[in-house]
Amino acid sequence: MDDRSLALVALYVGLNICTATEFSLSPSQPQCVFIAYSNVTCYWTPGQGSPSDTRFTLQVNITGCDDPVIHQSQLCQTVTQTHCSVNVTSVSRCYCIRVLADSPHTTASSPSLCLNAIDAVKLPTPVLSNVSAVRGKPRCLKLQWTTNTSFPVTRKHVSNGALVFQVQYSTEEQPEPKTVKVDLRPEREQGLFSASTCIFSASTLYTLMMRYRYNSTLSHWSDWSLTQQQCTEVAAPSTVPQLWRTVQPVGGADMRRVTLLWKSPPRSQVKCSVPWFNVSCCTEGSQNALHTWDCNALSVSDTSCHLTLPPERCSCTLSMSNPAGISPPATITIPSTTDTAPKALVDVSVTALDDSRLEVRWTALETPSLSSFLVEWWALSETASYTPYWQRLSHNASKIIITEGVWPKLCYKVTVRPEYDAETGEELSVEAYTRQEAPSAGPKPVVQELSSSAVVLQWDPVPLEQRHGFIRYYTLYIQSEEETPEVVVVPGDSLRYQLSGLSGLYRIYMVAHTDAGGSPPGPMLDVAIGGIVLVDTILWCSIPTVLTVLILLNCLQWRQRIKQNLWPTVPDPAHSSLSTWNTETKYTTVLFTGGVSTFMILPIRNPWDVPTPLMFTFKMVRVRVIIIIIHFILSAFHDTQSHFIYTRKSEGLKAIKSHIKISKCIKVHQT
C-alpha cells in the first residue's frame, strides 16, 4: 500500500472518530414546560459520552410560527444540572429550543424543539369554589370554579373544548381516590365557570377535586384544586338489601328462634339520608303476617333482629326505606324442621395466605337453578362469643379471600352454602387457622384403668384458646426410677391410650404437637404398677386410724369426770336437816296476774341449808322438768355446790317426808 492510500485510510478513521464523539456528546431533545407570563423550563438527558465538566447551554429562540426566522434568542447555561429556565412574556408565540453541549474537545447540539408555547403550557390551578347536587338528577353534581386573571385560554376556546378535564373523587367506602376524565364544557355564570357531570351514585357523599390541561399532546396537567364535599340528590334505594338468617333449634311449644342478618348501607349514603328497615314474615300459604317482635322500628344502625317462628316453612322479607322511597325487597325462606336441603357442593378448602387473609375455594355441581353462594365464617371459642361474618357471591364464583374479622392463632369455622333464589342448600364447613403456633399448655393424663402390669390413660383435649393450631399428635413420656424416659407417639385424634408390660413406680407426662411445634409438658402423673404401694396411700389410710385410737384413749382417761357430769350424785333427803323441820308449816300462795309465781335460786354447799335467796322468775309450765335440767347443768360445772329452789315461807315450811324425790319438793298452790 502506497503513502496516498495510507493517508486516505487515516482520514476516514479520523472522521468516524470525530463523528462518533460528537454523536455521543449530543443531549436529548428538550422537554419544556411553559408557565403563562412567567418562564419556560426545559429538561434534557446528557449524551452517553459527556464528560463531567461538559457545559450545557439552553437556547430559546422566538420565531415565526410559519417561518424559521429567529426574532429573539435567550440563553441559559449550566454545568451540574440537566434543566434550565428562561423568562418568557407570552405563551401565544412560537419558539425553537435546543441544548448545546460544550466539552474541551468538541461541541454538540440536541435536536431542536419547535412549537407554539400554548401547546406545552401548564395552566394555573383551578379554584373549585362550589359543588352542588342537581335537582332531578341524583347521579349528577354541578361544579363551579374560577381562574386567575392571567389565564391564557379564552372562554370561547374553553367552551369549544380547548381544555381536557379530570375529576378525582372518593367515598368513605372507597378511600382510594379514583381519577376519571370528564367533559366539563362550562357556561360562564357571573364570572364563574360552571358544568355538571353525571358519573356518581345517588344519595352518596363524595369528596372531590379537579384539574385540567390544554388539549395538546405536549401540554401539562395543572395542579389539583382544593377538595370539596357534597352529597348527590337523595333517591329511593335501588339495590336489594343483602339478607341472611340463622336458626336456633326448636324450643318450647315447637317454636324456633330465628335471627335475621343484613348488611348495613354504606356510610357515605347514611350521611346524605337517614334510611330505615322494614321486616315482615309469614308462613307458607298464608297471607297473615307473623308477629315480628323486636324486628319493628329498625334504625339504620341495626344489622340484625330476632324472631320466634313456628316449625312450618316461613318466608321473611326485608326492605330499606328513605325519604325518597323504598328499595326492592330481599326475600329469604326459612325451611321447616322436616325439609331436606338439596346438595350441590362437592368439597370446600381453606388456605391461609397470611395472618389476616384466608382463601376459600369450593367445587359445586352444575345446577341450573343455582343463584348464588353464601360464605359464612366466625372464630371458635370456648369462653367468648364472636360475631359471625358472611358474604354472598354470584352463582359462577368458586373462591373468595376473606379478611374481615380474621386474626392469627384463632380457629375459624368457614361454611359455604349454595342458594337457589330464596332457598338454601346443604352446607359444607371447614375449620382453619391463619397462622398456627405451638400449644401453650399440654394435656393432663389421668388413670382410667389399672391392672398388675398395665395402665389405661385418658385425657381431655387441650382447651381451644390454648391450642393455637390443629393437634397432629401427642407424645407420652414414661419414666421409671433411674431410667431414661420412654417416648410413645399417640395420634392427635386419640384421647385414650393403654400402656402394658410395666412394673414399678412410673412418672408420666404428655406434650401436644401442632404443625408449628410442641407444647410445654403437661402435669405429671405418678402411677404404681405391680404391687407397689405409695407412701401417700399409706399415710392417708393410717391417719384416721391413729386419730380414732387417740380419741378413745382420751375418753377412758376422763371417764370419771364424764360420768360425774352426766350422772351426778343426788343427796338423800332422809339424812338432811330438812327431815326435822316443822311439818305444820304452810306454803305461801303467791298470786300474779298471768299465772307467774316468784321463786328463788339458792346457791348452797349443803342443799338442805337455807342461805339468802336469789330471785328467779319462770312460767309454771313443766316446772318439774325445768328444775331437773337446771340442776344437772349447775352440777356439771360445780363440784361441791348444788342448787335448790324453794318458795317464800308465810307461816313455815311443811315437813317433807324422807326418801322422796327432789322434784316433788315444791308445790305451788294458786288461790
Side-chain angles (χ1 to χ4, degrees):
M1 183 180 293
D2 56 6
D3 294 340
R4 183 177 179 182
S5 298
L6 292 173
L8 290 175
V9 171
L11 178 61
Y12 176 77
V13 173
L15 290 174
N16 285 338
I17 293 175
C18 293
T19 304
T21 302
E22 182 178 357
F23 177 77
S24 62
L25 188 64
S26 299
S28 64
Q29 187 182 44
Q31 303 292 325
C32 299
V33 180
F34 284 85
I35 305 299
Y37 310 108
S38 179
N39 59 61
V40 58
T41 301
C42 296
Y43 303 84
W44 62 89
T45 302
Q48 295 181 356
S50 299
S52 59
D53 57 349
T54 301
R55 183 177 60 184
F56 298 98
T57 302
L58 175 65
Q59 187 179 58
V60 179
N61 301 318
I62 301 176
T63 64
C65 294
D66 298 327
D67 61 82
V69 178
I70 298 176
H71 301 286
Q72 186 179 351
S73 181
Q74 290 181 287
L75 302 176
C76 176
Q77 292 183 343
T78 180
V79 175
T80 59
Q81 297 178 336
T82 58
H83 62 86
C84 203
S85 301
V86 298
N87 295 329
V88 295
T89 58
S90 175
V91 293
S92 59
R93 307 186 66 172
C94 294
Y95 295 84
C96 279
I97 305 171
R98 67 174 182 168
V99 179
L100 302 175
D102 297 325
S103 70
H105 304 290
T106 184
T107 300
S109 174
S110 70
S112 296
L113 173 66
C114 296
L115 74 167
N116 192 328
I118 194 65
D119 292 335
V121 72
K122 180 179 179 180
L123 298 174
T125 304
V127 180
L128 186 60
S129 57
N130 185 44
V131 178
S132 59
V134 180
R135 183 176 297 276
K137 296 181 179 181
R139 300 186 68 249
C140 300
L141 287 176
K142 182 179 181 180
L143 283 67
Q144 292 179 318
W145 73 93
T146 59
T147 60
N148 57 26
T149 55
S150 61
F151 196 69
V153 185
T154 63
R155 175 182 174 275
K156 181 179 180 181
H157 283 82
V158 173
S159 300
N160 291 336
L163 300 183
V164 179
F165 295 88
Q166 280 186 343
V167 171
Q168 188 178 86
Y169 62 89
S170 63
T171 62
E172 288 194 25
E173 287 71 32
Q174 297 177 342
E176 188 68 24
K178 183 178 181 180
T179 303
V180 294
K181 181 181 177 181
V182 294
D183 185 7
L184 294 177
R185 298 189 182 186
E187 297 178 358
R188 197 171 183 88
E189 297 179 358
Q190 299 179 355
L192 298 175
F193 290 99
S194 177
S196 299
T197 179
C198 300
I199 59 172
F200 307 105
S201 300
S203 310
T204 305
L205 176 65
Y206 287 95
T207 300
L208 56 85
M209 51 189 175
M210 64 173 291
R211 68 178 181 178
Y212 43 54
R213 67 176 177 86
Y214 192 77
N215 193 1
S216 170
T217 57
L218 298 177
S219 64
H220 305 274
W221 286 105
S222 69
D223 294 331
W224 288 103
S225 68
L226 298 179
T227 59
Q228 290 279 351
Q229 282 191 333
Q230 180 59 43
C231 287
T232 53
E233 189 178 47
V234 177
S238 59
T239 57
V240 179
Q242 292 195 52
L243 179 62
W244 179 234
R245 52 53 175 186
T246 60
V247 182
Q248 300 291 334
V250 176
D254 292 336
M255 300 298 285
R256 296 176 293 173
R257 180 178 174 86
V258 178
T259 302
L260 296 181
L261 307 168
W262 60 88
K263 298 289 187 179
S264 58
R267 293 191 300 271
S268 55
Q269 292 185 9
V270 174
K271 290 188 176 181
C272 296
S273 63
V274 183
W276 63 92
F277 296 96
N278 303 299
V279 171
S280 62
C281 295
C282 63
T283 56
E284 189 177 49
S286 174
Q287 300 298 326
N288 297 327
L290 297 173
H291 197 291
T292 54
W293 301 98
D294 67 338
C295 290
N296 297 322
L298 298 170
S299 66
V300 67
S301 60
D302 295 318
T303 57
S304 65
C305 68
H306 303 287
L307 298 168
T308 302
L309 299 179
E312 292 81 17
R313 189 181 180 89
C314 299
S315 177
C316 293
T317 61
L318 172 75
S319 59
M320 185 174 68
S321 303
N322 65 15
I326 303 175
S327 71
T331 304
I332 194 167
T333 299
I334 294 92
S336 68
T337 54
T338 59
D339 286 351
T340 302
K343 184 176 181 180
L345 292 173
V346 177
D347 71 322
V348 174
S349 63
V350 179
T351 305
L353 300 180
D354 52 37
D355 287 354
S356 59
R357 293 190 303 163
L358 291 173
E359 183 182 49
V360 185
R361 291 180 176 269
W362 60 90
T363 304
L365 302 174
E366 294 184 1
T367 306
S369 58
L370 184 64
S371 60
S372 60
F373 290 98
L374 191 133
V375 181
E376 186 178 15
W377 66 96
W378 65 93
L380 298 177
S381 175
E382 296 174 349
T383 59
S385 177
Y386 289 93
T387 303
Y389 298 91
W390 56 279
Q391 185 67 45
R392 181 172 282 110
L393 304 171
S394 64
H395 68 280
N396 55 4
S398 61
K399 70 174 183 177
I400 182 178
I401 297 176
I402 57 178
T403 58
E404 188 177 10
V406 177
W407 304 95
K409 298 192 298 182
L410 291 180
C411 183
Y412 288 88
K413 186 172 183 179
V414 182
T415 301
V416 180
R417 295 179 176 87
E419 291 186 316
Y420 308 89
D421 293 330
E423 306 279 346
T424 57
E426 184 178 350
E427 66 184 50
L428 285 181
S429 299
V430 177
E431 294 183 3
Y433 286 86
T434 56
R435 171 164 56 92
Q436 296 192 54
E437 291 188 357
S440 57
K444 177 183 179 181
V446 295
V447 176
Q448 187 182 28
E449 297 178 13
L450 184 63
S451 63
S452 60
S453 62
V455 62
V456 177
L457 300 177
Q458 186 179 8
W459 58 90
D460 294 327
V462 178
L464 192 59
E465 277 72 14
Q466 298 176 341
R467 204 172 300 168
H468 307 322
F470 296 111
I471 303 298
R472 302 304 183 187
Y473 62 93
Y474 297 99
T475 304
L476 267 170
Y477 293 88
I478 306 101
Q479 184 176 7
S480 60
E481 296 178 354
E482 300 178 357
E483 291 186 8
T484 58
E486 180 183 354
V487 179
V488 177
V489 178
V490 182
D493 57 352
S494 299
L495 297 176
R496 186 176 182 271
Y497 192 78
Q498 179 176 349
L499 298 172
S500 58
L502 304 178
S503 178
L505 181 63
Y506 294 89
R507 173 158 291 181
I508 301 173
Y509 60 92
M510 297 182 66
V511 173
H513 297 264
T514 64
D515 293 338
S519 68
M524 301 287 183
L525 174 66
D526 293 330
V527 181
I529 303 174
I532 301 299
V533 181
L534 297 178
V535 176
D536 293 346
T537 304
I538 297 174
L539 290 177
W540 282 111
C541 293
S542 60
I543 288 176
T545 305
V546 173
L547 290 177
T548 304
V549 171
L550 291 176
I551 292 173
L552 291 175
L553 292 175
N554 189 61
C555 292
L556 292 175
Q557 181 181 359
W558 293 91
R559 63 185 184 280
Q560 294 298 332
R561 182 63 177 262
I562 295 173
K563 180 179 178 181
Q564 180 66 26
N565 289 333
L566 294 179
W567 300 284
T569 303
V570 180
D572 188 357
H575 299 87
S576 67
S577 61
L578 191 64
S579 60
T580 61
W581 287 2
N582 186 2
T583 60
E584 300 297 327
T585 304
K586 298 182 178 179
Y587 296 104
T588 301
T589 300
V590 184
L591 179 63
F592 290 91
T593 302
V596 178
S597 300
T598 301
F599 296 89
M600 288 156 282
I601 300 176
L602 304 178
I604 56 175
R605 183 172 300 274
N606 188 341
W608 308 109
D609 293 337
V610 184
T612 304
L614 177 67
M615 303 301 295
F616 178 75
T617 303
F618 62 96
K619 288 180 180 287
M620 296 181 62
V621 180
R622 305 280 184 182
V623 177
R624 190 179 306 172
V625 176
I626 295 175
I627 293 173
I628 294 173
I629 292 174
I630 294 175
H631 179 74
F632 277 104
I633 293 174
L634 296 177
S635 299
F637 295 97
H638 301 279
D639 294 334
T640 58
Q641 289 187 350
S642 60
H643 291 74
F644 186 72
I645 302 176
Y646 73 100
T647 59
R648 183 181 300 175
K649 294 189 299 180
S650 168
E651 296 177 354
L653 297 174
K654 185 178 181 179
I656 302 176
K657 294 182 179 182
S658 300
H659 305 291
I660 62 174
K661 294 182 179 180
I662 191 171
S663 59
K664 296 182 180 180
C665 291
I666 301 176
K667 294 184 178 179
V668 179
H669 299 272
Q670 291 185 345
T671 304

